[in-house]
Amino acid sequence: MRAYGRSTLVLAYPALVLGMFLLVPFGIMAALSVFRRVPAGTFEPAMVPDNYLNLLTPFFLDRIGFTLGLSAAVAVVCVALGFPFTYLLTRLPRRRQVPWLVFLLAVLALSEVIVGFAWSVLLSRTAGLSNLLVWLGLLSQPESWAPGLTAMMLGLCYLAFPYTVLVLYPSLSRLDPSYLEAARTLGASPLRGFFGVIVPVSRPAILATLVMVFVFALGAYVLPQLLGRPQHWTLAVHITDQALSRSNVPAAAAMSITLLLASLALVLVTAALGNRRKEQP
Amino acid sequence: MPDLHLTGIVKHYGSVVAVDHVDLHLPAGKFVCFLGPSGCGKTTLLRMIAGLEAPTKGRIKLGEEDITDRPTHRRGVGMVFQSLALFPHLTVGENIAYGMRIRNAPKADTERRVEELLQLVHLPGLGSRNVSQLSGGQRQRVAIARALALDPALFLLDEPLSALDAKLREAMQVELRLLQRRLGVTTILVTHDQREAMTTADLIAVMAHGRVQQIGSPLEIYRNPANTFVADFIGSTNMLPASIAERPGAVWVDGVVFPVAKLPAGVAPGREVTLSVRPEELHLLTGDMDQRGEAVLTGTVSFVRDVGQSVEVFVECGGRSVTVVGSPKEVPPVKAGDAVRVAFPAEACVVLAQ
């Protein structure tokens, strides 16, 4: 009886934290999303579906599609670059891994604003990398590469790459080094062994990382404004815009809930796909 | 099938010398064991034969072909790893077929070969199972089947049985030996377990400190160890300090002249040597039992370990402990504190110069 009491007590703490920091704010936002907006810039309690119905415009559907697509693209690029990188990193002696990991952590510690401004300078016409190419004779005159979709992708990938590596690192460093060696004794070249054995064996880690980076990229709202044109603004930017500039908190809340549900659905589909393929022989 | 020649193989890891000038000739079709304590360089030597490590110096030849610089995937070796390294994303059958798939072998041939190999390792019909559904012993067999799938010129095993429990391990040793005899494939097994080496091998290469200490058949190594390391590492032995006697074919041990069957070449009288005698070769004499002309040491029984199947008697002879082992019928009934004599047959006395 006593033990039972103690275990409920132990569970009470995470329940309290979850409730205070997750469920309560989420509940407030869910409630806000059905409140009625008052023209003066505030809102009053109500139970109306207007905020959601207002989202059924081609513009909003286009934005949500763009946001999900951009985040997915960032996730794919980061994992495609980060997986071989992390694999090679884990094969290095421990002593030589440390500087790389410290460097990645340092990048992770940079603020999104700093990263955004740094890239906009690097991609600018006056002080950017294109001047270097002109100096090397590869370009005839300096070009401006920002703002634009490529610049935005570059910035987001730069931001998400250390994250990708750190998420992949634990599972790849635990991978049995004999897998690749076994493939080689069976006639596979190192490259073939990597794609034929290392990648499929790591599929759970790859899927988990894709989901993590996807969610990470969804939340970015500084970089799209710094490195993208207005047509590249993600939903996160529009949510900020609605809530802060247009004082339409109920609309912002409705957009947030919709984005949350859409990305949740995408994550669940990914997870289901991963499981189903595993069951097939 | 060609012989394997290793010539002057050296491997350094930074300042550490893992393998130190190994010259070995491994005849085709033989079962060879690299036997030694951990850190003796046996696994490194095997990995160099597989091409997974490059030797710092020396050449590896398979028949007339120099394969030192040939990458692993073109060497035609089959290898069973200590961790087995079965691919968890593939079924048993797909694991075994992996090498054939790499070579784009026709599907029907591959299927036939997989079934044949599963028969060979006594796992018929398990091809569609997941690797995670198998027991430790079954995984072992799958790893063996996968390594043999491409008819390798060399079959290499890196302590593959160390994860199994003792009983299963003994059974697998016999099975491995029978399998090798049936296929006639040149096989190299790395192990630190001398019983495993004695069970399986045609030839044992005993290694220590990066060097081959002795190579020979199991009984040759057991009966005629080349030095004190081999005598001590293979089985258990009694080692007594001795010196060469002036009389031919004899040594002094504690003031007693021991006739011996053979002396190492080039040892002068008075030279300090070591006498090694296996415990099961010794006779324990009590009372007025006849010593049959053998050299004897007198002593006191300090402890008797009787495990039913065999009796082990520890005798204190002038400050030295001598162990005698025999079946319950051979060993006279003694107890701690009894005064006994230990007889050393001349043909069992091995004199080691180093």
Side-chain angles (χ1 to χ4, degrees), chain A residues 145-246:
Chain A
W145 292 328
L149 187 60
T150 318
M152 202 167 96
M153 276 288 292
L154 199 63
L156 284 172
C157 287
Y158 179 85
L159 213 58
F161 185 79
Y163 195 62
T164 315
V165 173
L166 294 177
V167 173
L168 283 171
Y169 184 83
S171 68
L172 282 184
S173 60
R174 276 199 307 269
L175 203 68
D176 183 355
S178 305
Y179 282 144
L180 191 62
E181 292 177 348
R184 284 167 65 198
T185 60
L186 293 167
S189 64
L191 207 62
R192 183 140 188 200
F194 179 78
F195 286 108
V197 175
I198 304 300
V199 172
V201 162
S202 312
R203 211 184 54 191
I206 291 177
L207 278 177
T209 312
L210 279 173
V211 168
M212 300 272 267
V213 179
F214 172 77
V215 172
F216 178 82
L218 270 185
Y221 79 97
V222 176
L223 277 181
Q225 294 177 77
L226 287 174
L227 296 171
R229 296 175 188 281
Q231 69 263 32
H232 302 137
W233 282 8
T234 56
L235 212 56
V237 181
H238 287 285
I239 291 169
T240 321
D241 185 50
Q242 286 290 341
L244 300 181
S245 312
R246 302 182 191 213

Side-chain angles (χ1 to χ4, degrees), chain B residues 213 225-230 239 264 271-274 351-354:
Chain B
Q213 305 291 326
N227 54 38
T228 50
F229 174 83
V230 177
M239 286 214 261
R271 163 88 187 267
E272 303 283 319
V273 289
T274 305
V351 179
L352 303 168
Q354 48 175 328

Side-chain angles (χ1 to χ4, degrees), chain B residues 231-297:
Chain B
D232 192 35
F233 190 72
I234 309 290
S236 46
T237 195
N238 292 296
M239 286 214 261
L240 304 167
S243 63
I244 304 291
E246 295 73 23
R247 207 185 101 185
V251 294
W252 286 101
V253 178
D254 280 346
V256 180
V257 172
F258 275 55
V260 296
K262 206 173 91 189
L263 282 177
V267 284
R271 163 88 187 267
E272 303 283 319
V273 289
T274 305
L275 184 72
S276 162
V277 193
R278 298 291 178 191
E280 69 274 15
E281 305 276 6
L282 296 173
H283 305 298
L284 201 60
L285 306 174
T286 51
D288 52 2
M289 283 168 77
D290 183 17
Q291 64 190 67
R292 287 175 292 183
E294 290 161 351
V296 293
L297 291 180

Side-chain angles (χ1 to χ4, degrees), chain B residues 149-160:
Chain B
L150 296 174
D151 284 322
L154 291 172
F155 181 35
L156 311 175
L157 302 112
D158 182 11
E159 306 208 22

Side-chain angles (χ1 to χ4, degrees), chain A:
Chain A
M1 224 26 225
R2 202 191 143 116
Y4 175 77
R6 192 173 288 171
S7 76
T8 17
L9 203 68
V10 166
L11 283 176
Y13 178 67
L16 187 76
V17 171
L18 260 176
M20 260 170 53
F21 297 110
L22 195 84
L23 290 178
V24 170
F26 182 80
I28 292 173
M29 195 167 68
L32 277 172
S33 73
V34 292
F35 281 8
R36 185 182 295 116
R37 189 188 178 211
V38 180
T42 54
F43 42 82
E44 57 183 26
M47 187 70 193
V48 291
D50 300 14
N51 299 313
Y52 287 98
L53 294 176
N54 289 344
L55 296 179
L56 288 172
T57 59
F59 172 76
F60 179 77
L61 294 177
D62 175 61
R63 280 305 86 194
I64 197 164
F66 175 80
T67 306
L68 295 178
L70 181 78
S71 303
V74 169
V76 169
V77 169
C78 281
V79 172
L81 294 174
F83 185 82
F85 176 87
T86 314
Y87 179 73
L88 294 174
L89 183 68
T90 56
R91 301 301 111 176
L92 289 177
R94 193 97 191 152
R95 194 166 36 83
R96 285 168 60 197
Q97 292 181 22
V98 174
W100 284 101
L101 292 171
V102 170
F103 175 71
L104 288 166
L105 279 172
V107 172
L108 206 60
L110 292 177
S111 123
E112 208 182 329
V113 180
I114 306 274
V115 170
F117 276 119
W119 276 110
S120 68
V121 170
L122 277 173
L123 298 173
S124 70
R125 185 163 54 84
T126 42
L129 289 169
S130 64
N131 293 282
L132 206 65
L133 296 184
V134 172
W135 183 73
L136 286 170
L138 295 170
L139 273 180
S140 58
Q141 56 182 21
E143 288 174 13
S144 172
W145 292 328
L149 187 60
T150 318
M152 202 167 96
M153 276 288 292
L154 199 63
L156 284 172
C157 287
Y158 179 85
L159 213 58
F161 185 79
Y163 195 62
T164 315
V165 173
L166 294 177
V167 173
L168 283 171
Y169 184 83
S171 68
L172 282 184
S173 60
R174 276 199 307 269
L175 203 68
D176 183 355
S178 305
Y179 282 144
L180 191 62
E181 292 177 348
R184 284 167 65 198
T185 60
L186 293 167
S189 64
L191 207 62
R192 183 140 188 200
F194 179 78
F195 286 108
V197 175
I198 304 300
V199 172
V201 162
S202 312
R203 211 184 54 191
I206 291 177
L207 278 177
T209 312
L210 279 173
V211 168
M212 300 272 267
V213 179
F214 172 77
V215 172
F216 178 82
L218 270 185
Y221 79 97
V222 176
L223 277 181
Q225 294 177 77
L226 287 174
L227 296 171
R229 296 175 188 281
Q231 69 263 32
H232 302 137
W233 282 8
T234 56
L235 212 56
V237 181
H238 287 285
I239 291 169
T240 321
D241 185 50
Q242 286 290 341
L244 300 181
S245 312
R246 302 182 191 213
S247 307
N248 193 346
V249 176
M255 284 162 98
S256 304
I257 298 275
T258 314
L259 180 63
L260 183 76
L261 292 178
S263 43
L264 198 65
L266 211 63
V267 168
L268 289 177
V269 167
T270 314
L273 276 179
N275 283 334
R276 205 178 59 187
R277 272 221 245 134
K278 195 177 180 181
E279 277 158 24
Q280 277 170 4

